């Protein structure tokens, strides 16, 4: 995850340390253009891996007005 990232989520359950419908927007630090968007229906903190586990989602890499890569996932770990 880059330092130029913004997060949006519909809900957070602090008891379960879980986000619902989480979107991550990453921006180019020089141009401030959107460079990546990640969406997950659910994100849960994995204490053993020290990483967020994103579930049922997708990632789009973006260059200008073009999607350069699209990847759907069932599970993906993000630090």
């Amino acid at each position: 995850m880059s330092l130029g990232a913004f997060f949006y989520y519909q809900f957070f359950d602090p008891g379960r340390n879980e986000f619902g419908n989480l979107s991550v927007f990453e921006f180019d630090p020089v141009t401030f253009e959107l460079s990546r968007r990640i969406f997950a229906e659910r994100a849960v903190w994995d204490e053993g891996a020290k990483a967020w586990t994103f579930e049922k989602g997708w990632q789009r890499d973006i260059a200008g007005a073009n999607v350069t890569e699209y990847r759907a996932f069932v599970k993906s770990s993000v630090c």
Side-chain angles (χ1 to χ4, degrees):
M1 213 55 56
S2 74
L3 293 176
F6 291 92
F7 301 84
Y8 171 80
Y9 55 92
Q10 287 188 316
F11 61 89
F12 177 70
D13 182 340
R16 296 170 63 179
N17 211 10
E18 176 181 320
F19 288 97
N21 293 327
L22 175 70
S23 290
V24 180
F25 301 90
E26 294 183 10
F27 295 87
D28 181 291
V30 175
T31 65
F32 302 107
E33 290 181 336
L34 183 63
S35 58
R36 176 177 292 146
R37 179 172 177 206
I38 303 168
F39 171 80
E41 288 183 17
R42 182 172 179 254
V44 181
W45 181 251
D46 181 343
E47 186 61 37
K50 300 287 187 213
W52 288 98
T53 298
F54 287 15
E55 298 177 359
K56 295 182 184 175
W58 48 262
Q59 174 182 312
R60 286 189 176 115
D61 291 339
I62 301 162
N66 300 311
V67 174
T68 58
E69 184 178 343
Y70 174 83
R71 180 177 65 86
F73 57 81
V74 175
K75 279 192 174 186
S76 180
S77 291
V78 179
C79 297

